[in-house]
Amino acid sequence: MGYLHNAFRKKSFRLLSFVVGLVFALVMGCQTSAQVASTEILWDTYGIPHIYGKNGSNAFQAFGWAQMQSHGNLLLRLYGQARGRAAEYWGEEYLESDRWVLTAGVPERARSWYSLQSPTFRSYLDAFAAGINAYAREHGDKLDDEVEVVLPVKGEDVLAHLHRVLHFTFVVNPEQVAGVAKEESKPGSNGWAIAPSRSATGKAMLLANPHLPWSDLFLWYEAQITAPGINAYGATLVGIPVLTIAFNDNLGWTHTVNTFDGWDTYELKLVDKGYRFDNKVRSFETTTLSVKVKQKDGSLLDQPLVVKQSIHGPVVSEKDGKAIALRVVGLDRPGVLEQWWDMARSQNLKQFETALQRLQLPMFTVMYADRDGHIMHLFNGQVPIRKKGDFEYWQGIIPGDTSKTLWTKIHPYKDLPRIVDPQSGWLQNTNDPPWTTTFPTAIKADDYPSYIAPRFMDFRAQRSTRMLFEDDKITFDEMVEYKHSTRMELADRILDDLIPAARKQGSELALRAAEVLEFWDRQANADSKGAVLFAAWAEQIDWDKTFSKPWNENFPLTTPDGLADPKSAVATLEAVAAKVEKTYGSLDVAWGDVFRLVVSNKNLPANGGSGNLGIFRALDFAPASEDRFQAVAGDSFVAAIEFSQPVRAMALTSYGNATQPGSPHVGDQLAIFVNKQLRPVWRERQEILAHLEERKMF
């Protein structure tokens, strides 16, 4: 009842805000053209900044200000880490982060990249930094004292943060280098592009749906940027000065993390003070850095960091007469921010691809749609040209004693898997390889080097494809409904085997478990009963051994299937059923009673779950207590766009558009998330003014 009362109060407040905003809009409609031309931020009632810049520099400055107002503490902490000085600022807990950043050469390379920017774009970076600093000067009381040590921010700090995020978090991260398999620990996403032939209105549609952790450098920030030559709406990661997923009146795109391999670790055989390469001994380039670590008494302790560079890249570990060196793509390509900026300024497919062809963005699938009716899937990435080996070979540690394994060039744009306007009329990607983007198959794996991408199609991709494949004419509202689907593809595939096996072989407990699974709706809605039991079973099975029919690319939507060992599957079901019943007092506990959405002081029942289960509305959970779990990653920013006239769009930033203490927008969209809805996108000035919360003039 408390939730309903709060929801009613919030709805009443928004109604009042709408009326006040409408009156204000009528008044502001009389403003002079000179006032319209001034730079300003119009904040709507969801804390979305709509930036109007009289030129590019002013727009960037306002965007820097806006990000500080919404995420100032987080932004400064991220910039401090990108400098490799976080341990100096905040203590030993950041020491490993600094070592990673400095070994990778992030701060030094950011300075080089800054000098390589075009004069115009360099001025934009400076303006973004100036906006950050201006906010801090005027509102330092709203920032935590401990993060102010990062100030002032410079343009090169913006690039250092970008570099750390893109190349040394998304392309490769420390956990992967330490031994985690390359394909694991990767954030995910959903992306759809629907052509006019499959759209109920005859207009192309786009679904943007990244799934990232709900914290730290992965947080999305929703905004609109309007300036001469640009009027784009979308989102970016906190601290990045351009929109990275966006749309305008004529086109839009989204990204998903693709099955891309842009890094390798090489094993070097150490000889004397060097390493063996092509039957010769090469010397390392060695630099000794000093990492300052803040002590509990406030003093600084210097710790030396010796960075060794081989022809492959920096040495990241040494043991038993061998060293491991890391090689990463894109370190010589500093223009990704300007590329994203020009993608948002593009007005048609040709202009958009002209920007893409620069290949400054090191990875990510690009899913695209436009007003002209074109849709496109591009397996974007700086893909190394490798002389040998398939995708699996390059997942291991590579011999580093020969130039035969050392890649030095990347594939040009024309070599990348790409399809425009497929026969099917739709494209999808859920972090699966490009070969499964649509059916009939439009991008054939055999036409590309075997190292570009693996061959598989997981259950989330199959669920995604099934929803598109089975609907000949998709309405905008249906696309939004499909986006919120919590149906488990795995359950649809395997329950017809598991339930009879439990009834045939199982104990009294297994029979009761089978009964619960029989009457379950096969979804992970808040009130779904049986989902907790099934998810617990799926978590315990050995996915490589469970199915009697493994995945087959000739039957991509119906495999894997069948139980290889029904007896073992039932034994696992009995074991998890006993645990579920003991923990929750019932086998049919509701999903939302166990899985929660917790942001700030809000604690609401979740819907959605692991993509491994074949759930399109993906959420990942972590233990919050002995018997409850809270969402920590997954559905984050969502945008559904139809390229009609005018463009129709709805969006949601699940956890709200702010993290700054005291902001009313921390978690304010969570109730919409719970209801499996999106909110309207306000792009026109008059409707923004009608929902105005705050205005900032520059």
Side-chain angles (χ1 to χ4, degrees), residues 170-328:
F170 277 91
V171 175
V172 62
N173 62 58
E175 290 75 20
Q176 291 170 307
V177 171
V180 178
K182 283 189 176 184
E183 64 271 16
E184 295 178 1
S185 302
K186 285 285 190 182
S189 303
N190 297 329
W192 281 2
I194 300 171
S197 63
R198 295 298 289 267
S199 166
T201 62
K203 305 295 183 182
M205 296 191 294
L206 180 72
L207 177 66
N209 183 204
H211 304 151
L212 295 180
W214 286 17
S215 60
D216 200 48
L217 56 78
F218 299 101
L219 283 185
W220 289 100
Y221 187 58
E222 189 175 346
Q224 180 180 9
I225 299 177
T226 302
I230 189 170
N231 181 2
Y233 191 106
T236 191
L237 298 180
V238 172
I240 293 179
V242 297
L243 300 176
T244 59
I245 291 176
F247 67 95
N248 57 39
D249 284 332
N250 293 307
L251 59 83
W253 80 91
T254 188
H255 289 310
T256 62
V257 171
N258 48 352
T259 53
F260 161 80
D261 182 1
W263 66 279
D264 286 300
T265 46
Y266 288 87
E267 184 178 88
L268 309 182
K269 298 177 180 178
L270 301 180
V271 182
D272 299 327
K273 295 183 179 181
Y275 60 99
R276 191 171 299 281
F277 186 77
D278 281 350
N279 297 317
K280 296 180 181 179
V281 176
R282 294 180 66 103
S283 298
F284 291 106
E285 295 180 13
T286 303
T287 305
T288 301
L289 304 174
S290 177
V291 183
K292 298 183 183 300
V293 183
K294 186 176 182 179
Q295 306 299 295
K296 292 182 179 180
D297 63 3
S299 63
L300 296 177
L301 178 67
D302 284 346
Q303 288 202 14
L305 174 66
V306 178
V307 179
K308 293 181 178 180
Q309 287 280 348
S310 72
I311 193 173
H312 312 80
V315 171
V316 292
S317 67
E318 254 185 85
K319 187 178 181 181
D320 299 330
K322 296 178 181 178
I324 300 295
L326 175 66
R327 190 166 187 80
V328 181

Side-chain angles (χ1 to χ4, degrees), residues 37 97 213 245 289 395 443 474 615:
S97 170
I245 291 176
L289 304 174
Q395 305 311 289
I443 307 176
I474 302 172
I615 300 176

